[in-house]
Amino acid sequence: MDAKEYLNQARILNNKYRAKQDEITSIEALLLQAVSYGKDGTMNHDNNKNERIILKLMELQDDLNKQLLELMDKKAEIIKTIDKVEDPNELSLLHKRYAQFKGWNQISIELGYSEAQVFRIHSCAIRSVEEILKR
């Protein structure tokens, strides 16, 4: 695994986590739709259908919690690696890109460099991380 693949692991896990969050939100909305009210104002519901939806929701929330723990562990590992980079510009860029998941434009604004300069710093930073990973 090269340095970019290594550093992008947390971003990939973060994207999976957010997708799972969206899925849970969708199922919660389905659950709310499954409950209806009768003419007398009392709640009517299909217990069997609601039960299946609730079980699926609980299963997804459990998966989400596991993904969050995996994301936190991987992010901590990547940050620990990034913190070994000696150049302050490279260090800052790596944190913004791979720990805070910021886009190139945002990074260039925050660092006060052109995007071209940010890409040059990034290339040097990737080489620094590759050296760290070889140790």
Side-chain angles (χ1 to χ4, degrees), residues 2 12 33 40 60 74 102 122 125-126:
D2 69 12
I12 291 167
Q33 290 173 0
D40 61 356
L60 289 172
K74 184 54 70 177
K102 293 184 179 181
H122 181 258
I126 291 299

Side-chain angles (χ1 to χ4, degrees), residues 18 21 27 29 39 51 64 72 87 99 108 121 127 130:
R18 290 191 185 279
Q21 277 182 318
I27 289 174
K39 293 178 185 175
E51 198 172 284
L64 185 67
M72 290 170 59
D87 183 274
S108 72
I121 295 169
R127 285 192 293 276
E130 285 173 352

